[in-house]
Amino acid sequence: MTVFDAATPAERRKLFADAITAHRERDSAFLTIEAETDPDDLAPWVQVSQDRINTDCTDDELDRLKDILGEFPSFTIDEVTRPEEADGTNVRIVGRGDANRIAQFVDRAFVDAFDLSEEYRAWVVEI
């Protein structure tokens, strides 16, 4: 991989698919993608590990994430954890599909669940 960030829907989805493919080829533990936000805000992130997708979210973001899952029938919530010491919820999703389908889901999660603009910038921060 030579590109690690993107800011348009098509570029992000290609970036995510390429990163997922690299993650699978390297058999790495996980892949982390972060959205660029205001420096004072906590950046939304998504981790992919083979067929699992992991993220932290608020209750409202979780509701929106569940709505997105309706459009991705091969993706299901596997586990929801609400640690007492944290303000949010950790969600683990089983997302079976090729790299492009997972990339589509991740991009939709950032835009629709995390309420980012269509032109948000995303970074692949770890493969």
Side-chain angles (χ1 to χ4, degrees):
M1 283 187 54
T2 57
V3 176
F4 294 93
D5 72 307
T8 67
E11 291 172 345
R12 284 192 310 268
R13 289 177 182 184
K14 181 177 180 346
L15 171 69
F16 298 166
D18 288 349
I20 292 164
T21 300
H23 156 71
R24 289 176 172 174
E25 288 174 354
R26 295 175 186 181
D27 198 28
S28 64
F30 56 86
L31 153 73
T32 304
I33 302 166
E34 288 183 5
E36 188 174 272
T37 59
D38 184 298
D40 295 330
D41 293 336
L42 194 59
W45 57 270
V46 172
Q47 285 185 326
V48 177
S49 179
Q50 299 306 326
D51 66 348
R52 301 223 180 253
I53 300 164
N54 182 45
T55 191
D56 286 343
C57 58
T58 66
D59 289 341
D60 289 341
E61 291 166 343
L62 177 57
D63 288 341
R64 293 189 297 262
L65 192 59
K66 288 177 181 177
D67 290 342
I68 297 166
L69 287 170
E71 299 173 34
F72 291 82
S74 62
F75 289 55
T76 58
I77 292 178
D78 182 50
E79 183 179 354
V80 175
T81 307
R82 291 182 172 90
E84 289 182 26
E85 66 279 357
D87 288 334
T89 301
N90 181 264
V91 181
R92 292 182 186 200
I93 297 167
V94 175
R96 292 184 176 88
D98 66 15
N100 289 320
R101 189 68 173 154
I102 294 171
Q104 290 172 355
F105 176 81
V106 170
D107 193 44
R108 288 286 307 281
F110 280 119
V111 172
D112 295 337
F114 294 118
D115 202 26
L116 299 178
S117 78
E118 285 287 334
E119 301 304 317
Y120 79 92
R121 179 171 300 281
W123 292 86
V124 173
V125 295
E126 187 167 349
I127 297 179

